[in-house]
């Protein structure tokens, strides 16, 4: 992990206790065996050891503003990285280092020049110390320029500025172009992925909307059916009640009729006989 620490002490203070102890021990081993021409400091967010510009003005070919890297140590997310540029550049030194490490019986997890370890017990400190001790500043610069071509100041140059080997300049330019193209391609891919994601989200949103609409329609249909069912039931109940009432009314009417029929007929009284007319003889 890249750190913004200003110096190695601050870098170590930021680490968890277990990592701090391991990185400190590796650091002390490097410092104890380091040639006096090298300098310790922070480089690329790690504790670095490099050839200062006062000694080698040309600096690092990938970034001349940076001093020429020699070695570094860093606490990464899942491991501790020991970066040995001195081993990376020298195949013979690399073979000797690998053989010496494996001879200790400790597991070696290594790339071209980066060794990855989980804990301090995984590091044969004597092998690391011997590797650092074997390389002096002059032999390191010599090996570096053998690989890349001379990069120091041009003899008789008034400016005294570093002049890069034309072949190396071409190589560096090619590398920069490749890096730029890779970055652009990555950006394009990221843009495409974002667009795809947005499209997917829009599609999902639309599908959700359709589902919601469908559900609403279904619910309305269900409610309408329920309402209609209720209306029919109400109608049925009303019809039944009317039928019952009609039946009850008919029964009442019939009863009344029957009662009327059963009642005795009224007795008609005979009309009183007319009084006899008075006799003329009386």
């Amino acid at each position: 992990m890249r750190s913004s620490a200003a110096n190695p002490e601050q870098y170590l203070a930021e680490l968890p206790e277990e990592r701090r102890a391991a990185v400190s021990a590796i650091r002390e081993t490097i410092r104890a065996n380091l040639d006096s021409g090298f300098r310790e400091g922070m480089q690329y967010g790690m504790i670095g050891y490099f050839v200062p510009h006062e000694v080698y003005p040309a600096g690092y070919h990938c970034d001349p503003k940076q001093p020429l890297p020699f070695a570094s140590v860093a606490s990464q997310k899942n491991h501790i990285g020991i970066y040995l540029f001195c081993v990376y550049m020298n195949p013979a030194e690399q073979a000797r280092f690998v053989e010496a490490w494996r001879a200790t019986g400790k597991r070696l997890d290594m790339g071209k020049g980066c060794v990855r370890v989980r804990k301090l017990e995984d590091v044969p400190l004597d092998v690391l110390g011997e590797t650092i001790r074997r390389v002096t500043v002059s032999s390191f610069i010599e090996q570096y320029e053998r690989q890349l071509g001379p990069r120091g100041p041009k003899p008789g140059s008034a400016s005294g500025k570093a002049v890069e080997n034309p072949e190396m300049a071409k190589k560096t330019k090619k590398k920069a172009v490749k890096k730029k193209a890779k970055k652009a391609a990555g950006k394009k891919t990221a843009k495409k992925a974002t667009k795809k994601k947005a499209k997917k989200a829009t599609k999902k949103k639309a599908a959700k909307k359709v589902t919601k609409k469908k559900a609403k329609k279904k619910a309305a249909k269900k409610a309408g059916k329920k309402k209609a069912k209720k209306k029919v039931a109400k109608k049925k109940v009303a019809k039944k009640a009317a039928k019952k009432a009609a039946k009850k009314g008919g029964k009442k009417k019939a009863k009344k009729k029957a009662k009327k029929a059963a009642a005795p007929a009224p007795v008609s009284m005979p009309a009183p006989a007319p009084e006899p007319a008075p006799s003329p003889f009386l």
Side-chain angles (χ1 to χ4, degrees), residues 65-81:
K65 287 179 186 175
Q66 288 284 343
L68 178 60
F70 171 70
S72 54
V73 58
S75 174
Q76 304 294 7
K77 191 179 179 180
N78 298 314
H79 67 272
I80 296 166

PDB file of all heavy atoms in Angstrom, residues 65-81:
ATOM      1  N   LYS A  65      13.454  12.506 -12.432  1.00  0.00           N
ATOM      2  CA  LYS A  65      13.316  13.314 -11.206  1.00  0.00           C
ATOM      3  C   LYS A  65      13.559  12.460  -9.970  1.00  0.00           C
ATOM      4  O   LYS A  65      13.871  12.963  -8.900  1.00  0.00           O
ATOM      5  CB  LYS A  65      11.910  13.929 -11.141  1.00  0.00           C
ATOM      6  CG  LYS A  65      11.702  15.071 -12.119  1.00  0.00           C
ATOM      7  CD  LYS A  65      10.290  15.594 -12.010  1.00  0.00           C
ATOM      8  CE  LYS A  65      10.007  16.647 -13.083  1.00  0.00           C
ATOM      9  NZ  LYS A  65       8.597  17.082 -13.064  1.00  0.00           N
ATOM     10  N   GLN A  66      13.361  11.149 -10.135  1.00  0.00           N
ATOM     11  CA  GLN A  66      13.567  10.206  -9.033  1.00  0.00           C
ATOM     12  C   GLN A  66      15.021   9.752  -9.014  1.00  0.00           C
ATOM     13  O   GLN A  66      15.605   9.484 -10.059  1.00  0.00           O
ATOM     14  CB  GLN A  66      12.674   8.976  -9.214  1.00  0.00           C
ATOM     15  CG  GLN A  66      11.208   9.195  -8.972  1.00  0.00           C
ATOM     16  CD  GLN A  66      10.859   9.297  -7.499  1.00  0.00           C
ATOM     17  OE1 GLN A  66      11.643   8.907  -6.631  1.00  0.00           O
ATOM     18  NE2 GLN A  66       9.697   9.833  -7.220  1.00  0.00           N
ATOM     19  N   PRO A  67      15.613   9.623  -7.805  1.00  0.00           N
ATOM     20  CA  PRO A  67      16.969   9.066  -7.756  1.00  0.00           C
ATOM     21  C   PRO A  67      16.927   7.595  -8.156  1.00  0.00           C
ATOM     22  O   PRO A  67      15.869   6.960  -8.082  1.00  0.00           O
ATOM     23  CB  PRO A  67      17.371   9.240  -6.288  1.00  0.00           C
ATOM     24  CG  PRO A  67      16.102   9.391  -5.541  1.00  0.00           C
ATOM     25  CD  PRO A  67      15.099   9.988  -6.474  1.00  0.00           C
ATOM     26  N   LEU A  68      18.062   7.059  -8.567  1.00  0.00           N
ATOM     27  CA  LEU A  68      18.124   5.675  -9.041  1.00  0.00           C
ATOM     28  C   LEU A  68      17.819   4.695  -7.911  1.00  0.00           C
ATOM     29  O   LEU A  68      18.549   4.613  -6.928  1.00  0.00           O
ATOM     30  CB  LEU A  68      19.522   5.400  -9.619  1.00  0.00           C
ATOM     31  CG  LEU A  68      19.814   3.994 -10.117  1.00  0.00           C
ATOM     32  CD1 LEU A  68      18.859   3.602 -11.238  1.00  0.00           C
ATOM     33  CD2 LEU A  68      21.257   3.881 -10.586  1.00  0.00           C
ATOM     34  N   PRO A  69      16.706   3.920  -7.997  1.00  0.00           N
ATOM     35  CA  PRO A  69      16.342   2.991  -6.910  1.00  0.00           C
ATOM     36  C   PRO A  69      17.308   1.802  -6.816  1.00  0.00           C
ATOM     37  O   PRO A  69      17.767   1.287  -7.833  1.00  0.00           O
ATOM     38  CB  PRO A  69      14.945   2.511  -7.296  1.00  0.00           C
ATOM     39  CG  PRO A  69      14.536   3.315  -8.466  1.00  0.00           C
ATOM     40  CD  PRO A  69      15.760   3.841  -9.110  1.00  0.00           C
ATOM     41  N   PHE A  70      17.548   1.365  -5.593  1.00  0.00           N
ATOM     42  CA  PHE A  70      18.423   0.217  -5.337  1.00  0.00           C
ATOM     43  C   PHE A  70      17.632  -0.912  -4.668  1.00  0.00           C
ATOM     44  O   PHE A  70      17.651  -2.049  -5.107  1.00  0.00           O
ATOM     45  CB  PHE A  70      19.598   0.658  -4.444  1.00  0.00           C
ATOM     46  CG  PHE A  70      20.442  -0.483  -3.935  1.00  0.00           C
ATOM     47  CD1 PHE A  70      21.262  -1.199  -4.794  1.00  0.00           C
ATOM     48  CD2 PHE A  70      20.415  -0.846  -2.589  1.00  0.00           C
ATOM     49  CE1 PHE A  70      22.042  -2.253  -4.319  1.00  0.00           C
ATOM     50  CE2 PHE A  70      21.187  -1.894  -2.119  1.00  0.00           C
ATOM     51  CZ  PHE A  70      22.003  -2.597  -2.987  1.00  0.00           C
ATOM     52  N   ALA A  71      16.895  -0.576  -3.619  1.00  0.00           N
ATOM     53  CA  ALA A  71      16.066  -1.558  -2.894  1.00  0.00           C
ATOM     54  C   ALA A  71      14.992  -0.798  -2.124  1.00  0.00           C
ATOM     55  O   ALA A  71      15.102   0.407  -1.910  1.00  0.00           O
ATOM     56  CB  ALA A  71      16.920  -2.377  -1.940  1.00  0.00           C
ATOM     57  N   SER A  72      13.944  -1.511  -1.728  1.00  0.00           N
ATOM     58  CA  SER A  72      12.906  -0.895  -0.889  1.00  0.00           C
ATOM     59  C   SER A  72      12.142  -1.984  -0.155  1.00  0.00           C
ATOM     60  O   SER A  72      12.181  -3.161  -0.535  1.00  0.00           O
ATOM     61  CB  SER A  72      11.968  -0.029  -1.724  1.00  0.00           C
ATOM     62  OG  SER A  72      11.430  -0.766  -2.801  1.00  0.00           O
ATOM     63  N   VAL A  73      11.432  -1.566   0.884  1.00  0.00           N
ATOM     64  CA  VAL A  73      10.617  -2.500   1.672  1.00  0.00           C
ATOM     65  C   VAL A  73       9.295  -1.808   1.973  1.00  0.00           C
ATOM     66  O   VAL A  73       9.250  -0.619   2.257  1.00  0.00           O
ATOM     67  CB  VAL A  73      11.351  -2.959   2.964  1.00  0.00           C
ATOM     68  CG1 VAL A  73      11.723  -1.781   3.843  1.00  0.00           C
ATOM     69  CG2 VAL A  73      10.509  -3.947   3.758  1.00  0.00           C
ATOM     70  N   ALA A  74       8.191  -2.584   1.869  1.00  0.00           N
ATOM     71  CA  ALA A  74       6.858  -2.001   2.087  1.00  0.00           C
ATOM     72  C   ALA A  74       5.896  -3.022   2.661  1.00  0.00           C
ATOM     73  O   ALA A  74       5.981  -4.219   2.380  1.00  0.00           O
ATOM     74  CB  ALA A  74       6.311  -1.473   0.773  1.00  0.00           C
ATOM     75  N   SER A  75       4.974  -2.515   3.463  1.00  0.00           N
ATOM     76  CA  SER A  75       3.900  -3.346   4.018  1.00  0.00           C
ATOM     77  C   SER A  75       2.720  -3.251   3.069  1.00  0.00           C
ATOM     78  O   SER A  75       2.123  -2.191   2.919  1.00  0.00           O
ATOM     79  CB  SER A  75       3.511  -2.837   5.407  1.00  0.00           C
ATOM     80  OG  SER A  75       2.387  -3.538   5.877  1.00  0.00           O
ATOM     81  N   GLN A  76       2.412  -4.356   2.399  1.00  0.00           N
ATOM     82  CA  GLN A  76       1.271  -4.395   1.480  1.00  0.00           C
ATOM     83  C   GLN A  76       0.067  -5.007   2.190  1.00  0.00           C
ATOM     84  O   GLN A  76       0.173  -5.410   3.349  1.00  0.00           O
ATOM     85  CB  GLN A  76       1.641  -5.201   0.220  1.00  0.00           C
ATOM     86  CG  GLN A  76       2.877  -4.701  -0.507  1.00  0.00           C
ATOM     87  CD  GLN A  76       2.714  -3.318  -1.114  1.00  0.00           C
ATOM     88  OE1 GLN A  76       1.712  -2.635  -0.911  1.00  0.00           O
ATOM     89  NE2 GLN A  76       3.724  -2.867  -1.830  1.00  0.00           N
ATOM     90  N   LYS A  77      -1.061  -5.092   1.487  1.00  0.00           N
ATOM     91  CA  LYS A  77      -2.303  -5.572   2.115  1.00  0.00           C
ATOM     92  C   LYS A  77      -2.168  -6.994   2.661  1.00  0.00           C
ATOM     93  O   LYS A  77      -2.518  -7.271   3.798  1.00  0.00           O
ATOM     94  CB  LYS A  77      -3.450  -5.509   1.091  1.00  0.00           C
ATOM     95  CG  LYS A  77      -4.812  -5.739   1.718  1.00  0.00           C
ATOM     96  CD  LYS A  77      -5.908  -5.639   0.688  1.00  0.00           C
ATOM     97  CE  LYS A  77      -7.268  -5.905   1.309  1.00  0.00           C
ATOM     98  NZ  LYS A  77      -8.358  -5.818   0.315  1.00  0.00           N
ATOM     99  N   ASN A  78      -1.635  -7.913   1.833  1.00  0.00           N
ATOM    100  CA  ASN A  78      -1.567  -9.321   2.240  1.00  0.00           C
ATOM    101  C   ASN A  78      -0.145  -9.850   2.436  1.00  0.00           C
ATOM    102  O   ASN A  78       0.036 -11.038   2.680  1.00  0.00           O
ATOM    103  CB  ASN A  78      -2.290 -10.205   1.208  1.00  0.00           C
ATOM    104  CG  ASN A  78      -3.754  -9.857   1.096  1.00  0.00           C
ATOM    105  OD1 ASN A  78      -4.432  -9.703   2.103  1.00  0.00           O
ATOM    106  ND2 ASN A  78      -4.247  -9.698  -0.119  1.00  0.00           N
ATOM    107  N   HIS A  79       0.843  -8.985   2.308  1.00  0.00           N
ATOM    108  CA  HIS A  79       2.228  -9.442   2.472  1.00  0.00           C
ATOM    109  C   HIS A  79       3.171  -8.265   2.716  1.00  0.00           C
ATOM    110  O   HIS A  79       2.757  -7.107   2.647  1.00  0.00           O
ATOM    111  CB  HIS A  79       2.686 -10.212   1.222  1.00  0.00           C
ATOM    112  CG  HIS A  79       2.794  -9.367   0.002  1.00  0.00           C
ATOM    113  ND1 HIS A  79       1.724  -9.148  -0.842  1.00  0.00           N
ATOM    114  CD2 HIS A  79       3.825  -8.642  -0.518  1.00  0.00           C
ATOM    115  CE1 HIS A  79       2.088  -8.341  -1.827  1.00  0.00           C
ATOM    116  NE2 HIS A  79       3.362  -8.012  -1.656  1.00  0.00           N
ATOM    117  N   ILE A  80       4.426  -8.593   2.999  1.00  0.00           N
ATOM    118  CA  ILE A  80       5.478  -7.575   3.094  1.00  0.00           C
ATOM    119  C   ILE A  80       6.319  -7.754   1.836  1.00  0.00           C
ATOM    120  O   ILE A  80       6.735  -8.869   1.506  1.00  0.00           O
ATOM    121  CB  ILE A  80       6.352  -7.774   4.356  1.00  0.00           C
ATOM    122  CG1 ILE A  80       5.512  -7.582   5.631  1.00  0.00           C
ATOM    123  CG2 ILE A  80       7.540  -6.804   4.349  1.00  0.00           C
ATOM    124  CD1 ILE A  80       6.169  -8.076   6.891  1.00  0.00           C
ATOM    125  N   GLY A  81       6.527  -6.661   1.104  1.00  0.00           N
ATOM    126  CA  GLY A  81       7.301  -6.738  -0.141  1.00  0.00           C
ATOM    127  C   GLY A  81       8.718  -6.230   0.054  1.00  0.00           C
ATOM    128  O   GLY A  81       8.930  -5.168   0.627  1.00  0.00           O
TER     129      GLY A  81
END
